[in-house]
Amino acid sequence: MSDTLDGGVTQPPFTQGGSIDLKSMLPGRSIGLKLLLVCALALAMTIPAMLVYGVVAERSAGQQAAIADVSQIMGGSQAVLGPVLVVPYARTPDPEKPDRVVYGHAIAFADTGQADVDVEVSERKRGLYSVPVYEADIDFSARFDPGILRDAVPNDADAIWADARLYVGVSDTRGIKETFAVKANGRDLRMEPAASTNEAGRYRVAPTAGVRLAGGAIQGLETLEIPIDVTASMRLSGAQRFAMGPFSRSTQMNMSSNWADPSFTGGILPDRHTAGESDDGFTANWSVPYMARGIPGSGANLNLGDVTNWGERDMAVNFIQEASPYQSVERALKYAAMFIGFVFLAYFLFEVTSGARAHPAQYILIGLAQAIFYLLLLAFSERFGFDPAFGVAAVMTVGLTSFYAMTVFRSKLYGLRALGVMSGIYALIYVLMRAQDNALLAGSLASFTAIALTMYMTRNVNWYGGEPREA
């Protein structure tokens, strides 16, 4: 029986029962349909890879909890305020109401000041997590002009010289390891935690600041004419971050540390540093001139918290690895869809060139292997760092998928080809993880190359399957 009507129009084929035979209408072994199926499977297999995001987030939260736990013990991120002179004053704004007294503070910063900081960093373990902690030895030297403090007292106010103090401060007193040793012109000052008010409770002794203050009384400031040379030393512990404010009109800070991978933060970066030049540690030097610090050198009711303002004027160093394994794995997951697509595309090309057929279930198994790669990478990274972990997880995954290709396409040659292609794909993943600035360019070029190679290798493929169609 003919399948065409008069005029050459093709009739749908029918089975013996009179129903339409759809199977006979679809092209057999259609490469085009297989490619569409492979693309759909590649997109579907990104779902397991994306589920790894949840695991990464959970483990990262555990790391943050460990850091917070250790910080509670060691003193956390420390911000330090160097020596500053403060005297409270009283004034009567309305002469007709002499009983109404207003109190304030006159503050004078040092003309010049220098801090020498030696930071010894070690690591504390909390389960799987390693948290950098430090002990810092700090030596201050500063020179004050007492006349500047007297000039800072308002003309209509009376300074309360008995409560004049030299203050130093830290943000977290739990990290103090030794009593502050402070001298003024060679004489020891007895440092006490700053009282909130005077004995009568009429006014605050210390101004509000972002740090906890300790003060020592200096006698004779109302008449002293010679400069005051102050030296101070303190020993602190902390975690993650160390910062110091520009505590004088012209401030210098010199830091040395055994930590080889610091991150300089804060509002003022060092003029010179040796970070990255040696695995034994670094040195750094800051110099902050008066105009650059942006705070008056003296005045009434200044806020000492402005000196140590987080991220605006402070000189700070982070002692924690910026690129944690969780950040690296998360970055790798952002490219999961592209790389799963590369692997599936490679298997598809093996099909085209070998003539063997891979079942969709086999593609799913290959996709699951790629998703498990990210779990292996995360688990190994927690044990011995990202770079070795990537090497181990990549070797395991590339070996598995290459051996599977040899069995699927029944050829050792295709197993070796898969080994080369998969090795190149995972080498590209590693490059993208380590070359952040050029990651987009490298990924774009790799994608273009993969598509171009596919177009070249399939240029003679009969996408419809069955008999070639006439033009």
Side-chain angles (χ1 to χ4, degrees):
M1 177 184 293
S2 173
D3 288 337
T4 61
L5 298 174
D6 293 341
V9 179
T10 303
Q11 299 184 72
F14 292 89
T15 62
Q16 291 182 353
S19 61
I20 298 177
D21 186 3
L22 293 176
K23 184 176 180 180
S24 63
M25 296 177 63
L26 295 174
R29 299 175 60 87
S30 170
I31 298 297
L33 289 177
K34 187 61 173 288
L35 177 59
L36 294 177
L37 178 60
V38 168
C39 291
L41 288 174
L43 290 175
M45 294 313 300
T46 61
I47 296 176
M50 293 300 102
L51 293 178
V52 181
Y53 262 115
V55 182
V56 174
E58 179 183 354
R59 306 300 285 185
S60 181
Q63 182 191 45
Q64 295 304 315
I67 292 174
D69 183 33
V70 172
S71 297
Q72 288 289 328
I73 299 172
M74 298 299 296
S77 299
Q78 292 284 15
V80 180
L81 175 66
V84 59
L85 284 177
V86 178
V87 61
Y89 63 79
R91 55 188 293 265
T92 304
D94 188 352
E96 297 182 358
K97 298 179 180 179
D99 294 336
R100 182 174 178 268
V101 180
V102 176
Y103 295 95
H105 294 86
I107 295 176
F109 295 99
D111 289 333
T112 60
Q114 178 173 314
D116 297 307
V117 186
D118 183 24
V119 183
E120 185 74 19
V121 183
S122 58
E123 295 191 70
R124 290 280 185 96
K125 298 289 290 185
R126 279 293 184 273
L128 293 174
Y129 309 107
S130 180
V131 182
V133 298
Y134 62 81
E135 287 196 357
D137 291 301
I138 310 167
D139 294 311
F140 293 103
S141 61
R143 170 165 283 199
F144 291 87
D145 181 355
I148 292 179
L149 180 62
R150 293 193 291 268
D151 292 340
V153 179
N155 294 330
D156 61 346
D158 296 319
I160 306 171
W161 294 108
D163 282 338
R165 297 287 189 273
L166 176 79
Y167 288 111
V168 295
V170 299
S171 58
D172 196 328
T173 56
R174 293 173 301 177
I176 298 175
K177 297 303 181 185
E178 296 177 358
T179 302
F180 297 163
V182 183
K183 292 185 177 182
N185 285 342
R187 299 182 60 181
D188 291 330
L189 297 185
R190 183 179 178 180
M191 305 299 290
E192 299 282 351
S196 59
T197 61
N198 71 324
E199 293 182 357
R202 291 179 299 170
Y203 57 85
R204 295 184 65 85
V205 175
T208 301
V211 294
R212 305 290 182 88
L213 299 175
I218 298 183
Q219 303 300 323
L221 286 176
E222 64 272 27
T223 59
L224 189 65
E225 296 297 335
I226 63 173
I228 304 173
D229 290 317
V230 174
T231 60
S233 62
M234 61 178 67
R235 185 177 182 85
L236 299 175
S237 67
Q240 301 184 69
R241 189 178 191 268
F242 176 89
M244 181 175 294
F247 59 91
S248 62
R249 290 171 178 253
S250 176
T251 307
Q252 289 187 335
M253 184 172 79
N254 306 310
M255 179 181 289
S256 61
S257 175
N258 64 329
W259 187 252
D261 187 27
S263 174
F264 298 107
T265 60
I268 303 172
L269 298 179
D271 299 320
R272 299 175 302 277
H273 67 82
T274 60
E277 297 180 9
S278 172
D279 293 335
D280 297 329
F282 74 94
T283 60
N285 310 97
W286 288 259
S287 180
V288 186
Y290 180 39
M291 296 302 293
R293 83 173 197 148
I295 303 172
S298 62
N301 299 318
L302 301 180
N303 187 353
L304 294 181
D306 290 340
V307 180
T308 56
N309 198 340
W310 186 292
E312 289 191 13
R313 298 182 178 90
D314 55 346
M315 300 166 283
V317 180
N318 278 346
F319 298 102
I320 190 168
Q321 296 175 348
E322 293 297 316
S324 71
Y326 307 107
Q327 291 174 317
S328 299
V329 174
E330 183 177 349
R331 194 179 304 124
L333 283 167
K334 292 179 180 178
Y335 296 93
M338 181 174 70
F339 287 108
I340 291 175
F342 282 173
V343 172
F344 277 28
L345 191 58
Y347 266 71
F348 174 76
L349 292 178
F350 292 157
E351 277 197 62
V352 172
T353 56
S354 68
R357 306 293 282 175
H359 194 274
Q362 294 172 312
Y363 278 95
I364 292 176
L365 292 175
I366 293 296
L368 290 175
Q370 310 310 306
I372 293 174
F373 161 77
Y374 295 103
L375 281 177
L376 291 172
L377 179 59
L378 175 61
F380 290 145
S381 294
E382 291 182 332
R383 297 302 196 278
F384 39 78
F386 181 79
D387 288 346
F390 188 95
V392 173
V395 167
M396 293 174 62
T397 307
V398 169
L400 175 63
T401 53
S402 301
F403 177 79
Y404 195 58
M406 182 177 65
T407 59
V408 169
F409 301 108
R410 299 177 180 85
S411 171
K412 292 183 179 180
L413 175 61
Y414 279 93
L416 293 175
R417 289 180 178 177
L419 179 63
V421 172
M422 300 303 165
S423 298
I425 290 174
Y426 280 85
L428 177 60
I429 296 177
Y430 182 79
V431 168
L432 292 182
M433 296 306 98
R434 285 294 176 255
Q436 298 184 43
D437 293 339
N438 298 313
L440 178 60
L441 177 61
S444 300
L445 291 175
S447 300
F448 179 82
T449 301
I451 293 300
L453 182 62
T454 303
M455 294 170 69
Y456 175 79
M457 295 185 65
T458 59
R459 65 192 184 280
N460 296 321
V461 168
N462 177 19
W463 294 103
Y464 289 101
E467 296 296 328
R469 296 191 177 187
E470 296 181 359

